[in-house]
Amino acid sequence: MEQKYPHLLEPLQVGKVSFRNRIFAAPTGVHTLNDPVPYPTEPLITFYADKAKGGAACVTCVGASLFPCQGDGVHSDFDIYQRNHQYMLARLSDRIHFYGAKASMELGVAGVVGSPYGVSDGAPLMDGSPAKEMLEAEIERITQGYADAAEILMQNGFDMVLLHFGHGLLVGSFLSPLTNKRTDAYGGPFENRARFACNIIDRIRAKVGRKLLIEVRISGTEYAPGGIPVEEAISFTKLIEDRIDLIHVSAGMIGPKYMTMTHPCDYMPPMPNVFLAEAVKKSGVHIPVVTVGGIQELDGAEKILSDGRADVVSIGRGMIADPDLGEKAYEGRTDDVRPCVKCMRCHDSACYEVRFSCTVNPEIGLQHTIQTLGRPVASKKKVCIIGGGPAGMEAALIASQRGHQVILYEKSGSLGGTLKFSEKVPFKYDLAKFKNYLIHQVEKSAVLVKLNTEVTKDMLEKEQADVVIAALGAEPVQPRIPGIDGSNVHMALPVYGNEKELSDDIVIIGGGQVGCETALHLAMMGKKVTIIEMQTSLAPDASPTHRDELLVKLDETEGLKYLTSYKCTAITGKGVECLDKNDRKQLVEGKDIIISVGMKSHAAEADAFRTAGKRFFTIGDCSRVGTVEKAMYSAYSVAIQI
């Protein structure tokens, strides 16, 4: 039978290890998912195993320390030297093998986090603080730690280790001429800067021979001036290719400006780092080249391989959004792959919060307990859902999958809710794909959709609904500012698609994420835009890493400026009158004024339907104003219990 993705699904033989296809699940650290113990727990094991179950050829795990440790209280930091901890380590590799995938463990992050030592005095550590230059005795200790850890992983069922030598992390900072200012045998010319990395590889080989595959991840370029250029990345690959088995070509380094290259966000074009893997592959290296960075579409991944730009694709966030991506490739179900929106919520919820989550996949972080969360369906019910935004569509899909009769009402002529704006914004292309994915899933489901329908309580009572779910959304807050009723004043959302009606001189009141992204959108169209924000910083409501990326983009965009600690006092035909942080009066000139100061829930409107069915629920913004992630989670949590 002909496959839709022949290159992506072609087996790969590396040494004595056979991979069933060319889809690798990239390393993703999920610190908030693992219990506070120094070994893999069932939630973490299930998270990784689900990627194997979903069709990946290799699943790369994160968390093994190079040394005996107690953990830093934040990161997943496995003390693999304890025998009873190794039981769980072996359980992790075994579960991945159960589903036909190979198990790899990333080495080079856990175990050195929190150390004050780095390549040179002043070089940035992972937390951004300046390092103290590492002594040669510590370099030797770490080198041996890599070898010891690799041997233990091999003994506990792992097929390979991924050595993280990129992103300006410890070994990567030795490779980089930007950060390596040493004057000893580990600094200066390229051969010296590569010495630490080569010694680690050689020490591992001395321990494990060719029984364990060694992968190495590098930055194909650090992008930073004075950092690693692609030519040096190629030279390093050729230096080590006879000692290793696969090379992963990533990009970027520590710091907001260049980490956005490491984890390409929605302000960048699709798959922007593939050219680096292509350069390494076409340089003539003889080991498989793995490309990584914002790869999530099956068609795009297939083309990378069919064009000979790489040998393997490594997918991180895309396999969090949809762990079954590999299986859907085998089945040719392109349209059923849940798109990642590259919002970095997975990263930020894993590192900075208390619950691991994904904007588009509400099951993430719950996989280990999903079978016990929902109530068994006792009887088929009629479920009426009011509102065809993301929350309404998700609730309709889950309720329908559980066997209920579902009617979805939408007062406009199309589904999508507030996500419709994404079609008008070039850098929201992934969000637009997600909206269209939900619509497509609803269209092919058993859900009965009634568009152009203004729902009334009487209508639902006549339907004799067992369950009524209100997903009515929210509306913009209109602050009490003199002049806000002027003809030159607009709410943010209606601006999208009507940008030509605005002048080229705009002031945006409100510097949250919506205000900032509206400003960015308009400035990218050539308009002059000023953001006014009452707080001391912009986009405090944005997820931390996405906020970093947004601020970098704002600073780089011509014609855009922002004023913080500015309180608006009036809107006039000339602009916005304000008080600055010193209570001095200021006039921020602009012909058109856009208001973006938040949303208020349609809770009262929703409450009117409370007695229209036997059970009543609110979800999404009409329950509590929040993000797409919160809307999806609230919809899922309600629908799975019906």
Side-chain angles (χ1 to χ4, degrees), residues 433-444:
K433 289 176 186 174
F434 175 60
K435 171 187 69 72
N436 293 334
Y437 160 84
L438 286 175
I439 293 172
H440 174 69
Q441 297 303 307
V442 170
E443 289 173 344
K444 61 184 268 188

PDB file of all heavy atoms in Angstrom, residues 433-444:
ATOM      1  N   LYS A 433      -4.419  28.012  11.900  1.00  0.00           N
ATOM      2  CA  LYS A 433      -4.468  26.579  11.596  1.00  0.00           C
ATOM      3  C   LYS A 433      -5.209  25.820  12.691  1.00  0.00           C
ATOM      4  O   LYS A 433      -5.976  24.884  12.401  1.00  0.00           O
ATOM      5  CB  LYS A 433      -3.048  26.022  11.456  1.00  0.00           C
ATOM      6  CG  LYS A 433      -2.321  26.465  10.205  1.00  0.00           C
ATOM      7  CD  LYS A 433      -0.893  25.948  10.217  1.00  0.00           C
ATOM      8  CE  LYS A 433      -0.105  26.499   9.043  1.00  0.00           C
ATOM      9  NZ  LYS A 433       1.330  26.102   9.122  1.00  0.00           N
ATOM     10  N   PHE A 434      -4.979  26.219  13.936  1.00  0.00           N
ATOM     11  CA  PHE A 434      -5.665  25.549  15.037  1.00  0.00           C
ATOM     12  C   PHE A 434      -7.166  25.795  14.970  1.00  0.00           C
ATOM     13  O   PHE A 434      -7.972  24.873  15.163  1.00  0.00           O
ATOM     14  CB  PHE A 434      -5.099  26.015  16.372  1.00  0.00           C
ATOM     15  CG  PHE A 434      -5.826  25.457  17.562  1.00  0.00           C
ATOM     16  CD1 PHE A 434      -5.906  24.091  17.770  1.00  0.00           C
ATOM     17  CD2 PHE A 434      -6.453  26.303  18.472  1.00  0.00           C
ATOM     18  CE1 PHE A 434      -6.590  23.560  18.859  1.00  0.00           C
ATOM     19  CE2 PHE A 434      -7.138  25.792  19.560  1.00  0.00           C
ATOM     20  CZ  PHE A 434      -7.203  24.424  19.753  1.00  0.00           C
ATOM     21  N   LYS A 435      -7.549  27.033  14.690  1.00  0.00           N
ATOM     22  CA  LYS A 435      -8.984  27.339  14.532  1.00  0.00           C
ATOM     23  C   LYS A 435      -9.595  26.465  13.440  1.00  0.00           C
ATOM     24  O   LYS A 435     -10.654  25.845  13.629  1.00  0.00           O
ATOM     25  CB  LYS A 435      -9.169  28.812  14.178  1.00  0.00           C
ATOM     26  CG  LYS A 435     -10.604  29.180  13.767  1.00  0.00           C
ATOM     27  CD  LYS A 435     -10.709  30.600  13.270  1.00  0.00           C
ATOM     28  CE  LYS A 435     -10.036  30.833  11.950  1.00  0.00           C
ATOM     29  NZ  LYS A 435     -10.775  30.217  10.801  1.00  0.00           N
ATOM     30  N   ASN A 436      -8.915  26.394  12.307  1.00  0.00           N
ATOM     31  CA  ASN A 436      -9.440  25.609  11.186  1.00  0.00           C
ATOM     32  C   ASN A 436      -9.456  24.109  11.507  1.00  0.00           C
ATOM     33  O   ASN A 436     -10.334  23.383  11.038  1.00  0.00           O
ATOM     34  CB  ASN A 436      -8.610  25.876   9.932  1.00  0.00           C
ATOM     35  CG  ASN A 436      -8.778  27.303   9.434  1.00  0.00           C
ATOM     36  OD1 ASN A 436      -9.810  27.929   9.683  1.00  0.00           O
ATOM     37  ND2 ASN A 436      -7.785  27.827   8.755  1.00  0.00           N
ATOM     38  N   TYR A 437      -8.481  23.677  12.307  1.00  0.00           N
ATOM     39  CA  TYR A 437      -8.471  22.273  12.748  1.00  0.00           C
ATOM     40  C   TYR A 437      -9.729  21.967  13.561  1.00  0.00           C
ATOM     41  O   TYR A 437     -10.399  20.950  13.329  1.00  0.00           O
ATOM     42  CB  TYR A 437      -7.212  22.007  13.578  1.00  0.00           C
ATOM     43  CG  TYR A 437      -7.299  20.797  14.473  1.00  0.00           C
ATOM     44  CD1 TYR A 437      -7.031  19.526  13.985  1.00  0.00           C
ATOM     45  CD2 TYR A 437      -7.668  20.924  15.818  1.00  0.00           C
ATOM     46  CE1 TYR A 437      -7.114  18.404  14.809  1.00  0.00           C
ATOM     47  CE2 TYR A 437      -7.757  19.816  16.645  1.00  0.00           C
ATOM     48  CZ  TYR A 437      -7.477  18.560  16.143  1.00  0.00           C
ATOM     49  OH  TYR A 437      -7.573  17.464  16.962  1.00  0.00           O
ATOM     50  N   LEU A 438     -10.053  22.820  14.521  1.00  0.00           N
ATOM     51  CA  LEU A 438     -11.247  22.598  15.338  1.00  0.00           C
ATOM     52  C   LEU A 438     -12.509  22.588  14.478  1.00  0.00           C
ATOM     53  O   LEU A 438     -13.388  21.732  14.651  1.00  0.00           O
ATOM     54  CB  LEU A 438     -11.355  23.675  16.417  1.00  0.00           C
ATOM     55  CG  LEU A 438     -10.396  23.579  17.605  1.00  0.00           C
ATOM     56  CD1 LEU A 438     -10.549  24.797  18.510  1.00  0.00           C
ATOM     57  CD2 LEU A 438     -10.614  22.297  18.396  1.00  0.00           C
ATOM     58  N   ILE A 439     -12.590  23.531  13.557  1.00  0.00           N
ATOM     59  CA  ILE A 439     -13.762  23.593  12.678  1.00  0.00           C
ATOM     60  C   ILE A 439     -13.872  22.311  11.860  1.00  0.00           C
ATOM     61  O   ILE A 439     -14.962  21.726  11.724  1.00  0.00           O
ATOM     62  CB  ILE A 439     -13.680  24.831  11.758  1.00  0.00           C
ATOM     63  CG1 ILE A 439     -13.804  26.119  12.586  1.00  0.00           C
ATOM     64  CG2 ILE A 439     -14.770  24.784  10.688  1.00  0.00           C
ATOM     65  CD1 ILE A 439     -13.534  27.384  11.803  1.00  0.00           C
ATOM     66  N   HIS A 440     -12.752  21.856  11.319  1.00  0.00           N
ATOM     67  CA  HIS A 440     -12.757  20.628  10.512  1.00  0.00           C
ATOM     68  C   HIS A 440     -13.190  19.422  11.343  1.00  0.00           C
ATOM     69  O   HIS A 440     -13.962  18.577  10.869  1.00  0.00           O
ATOM     70  CB  HIS A 440     -11.361  20.392   9.929  1.00  0.00           C
ATOM     71  CG  HIS A 440     -11.216  19.097   9.206  1.00  0.00           C
ATOM     72  ND1 HIS A 440     -11.851  18.828   8.005  1.00  0.00           N
ATOM     73  CD2 HIS A 440     -10.513  17.963   9.517  1.00  0.00           C
ATOM     74  CE1 HIS A 440     -11.554  17.604   7.611  1.00  0.00           C
ATOM     75  NE2 HIS A 440     -10.744  17.060   8.513  1.00  0.00           N
ATOM     76  N   GLN A 441     -12.705  19.348  12.590  1.00  0.00           N
ATOM     77  CA  GLN A 441     -13.087  18.235  13.448  1.00  0.00           C
ATOM     78  C   GLN A 441     -14.579  18.253  13.750  1.00  0.00           C
ATOM     79  O   GLN A 441     -15.228  17.198  13.792  1.00  0.00           O
ATOM     80  CB  GLN A 441     -12.279  18.266  14.743  1.00  0.00           C
ATOM     81  CG  GLN A 441     -10.783  18.091  14.570  1.00  0.00           C
ATOM     82  CD  GLN A 441     -10.413  16.807  13.857  1.00  0.00           C
ATOM     83  OE1 GLN A 441     -10.834  15.724  14.243  1.00  0.00           O
ATOM     84  NE2 GLN A 441      -9.627  16.931  12.793  1.00  0.00           N
ATOM     85  N   VAL A 442     -15.129  19.444  13.948  1.00  0.00           N
ATOM     86  CA  VAL A 442     -16.571  19.556  14.201  1.00  0.00           C
ATOM     87  C   VAL A 442     -17.355  19.150  12.953  1.00  0.00           C
ATOM     88  O   VAL A 442     -18.342  18.403  13.033  1.00  0.00           O
ATOM     89  CB  VAL A 442     -16.944  20.992  14.633  1.00  0.00           C
ATOM     90  CG1 VAL A 442     -18.456  21.181  14.646  1.00  0.00           C
ATOM     91  CG2 VAL A 442     -16.370  21.306  16.005  1.00  0.00           C
ATOM     92  N   GLU A 443     -16.904  19.610  11.796  1.00  0.00           N
ATOM     93  CA  GLU A 443     -17.618  19.324  10.545  1.00  0.00           C
ATOM     94  C   GLU A 443     -17.682  17.829  10.242  1.00  0.00           C
ATOM     95  O   GLU A 443     -18.671  17.345   9.691  1.00  0.00           O
ATOM     96  CB  GLU A 443     -16.954  20.063   9.386  1.00  0.00           C
ATOM     97  CG  GLU A 443     -17.172  21.568   9.418  1.00  0.00           C
ATOM     98  CD  GLU A 443     -16.379  22.309   8.356  1.00  0.00           C
ATOM     99  OE1 GLU A 443     -15.433  21.717   7.789  1.00  0.00           O
ATOM    100  OE2 GLU A 443     -16.695  23.487   8.094  1.00  0.00           O
ATOM    101  N   LYS A 444     -16.648  17.085  10.588  1.00  0.00           N
ATOM    102  CA  LYS A 444     -16.632  15.653  10.287  1.00  0.00           C
ATOM    103  C   LYS A 444     -17.205  14.805  11.422  1.00  0.00           C
ATOM    104  O   LYS A 444     -17.278  13.588  11.304  1.00  0.00           O
ATOM    105  CB  LYS A 444     -15.215  15.191   9.949  1.00  0.00           C
ATOM    106  CG  LYS A 444     -14.207  15.357  11.032  1.00  0.00           C
ATOM    107  CD  LYS A 444     -12.814  14.960  10.541  1.00  0.00           C
ATOM    108  CE  LYS A 444     -12.538  13.524  10.828  1.00  0.00           C
ATOM    109  NZ  LYS A 444     -11.157  13.114  10.559  1.00  0.00           N
TER     110      LYS A 444
END
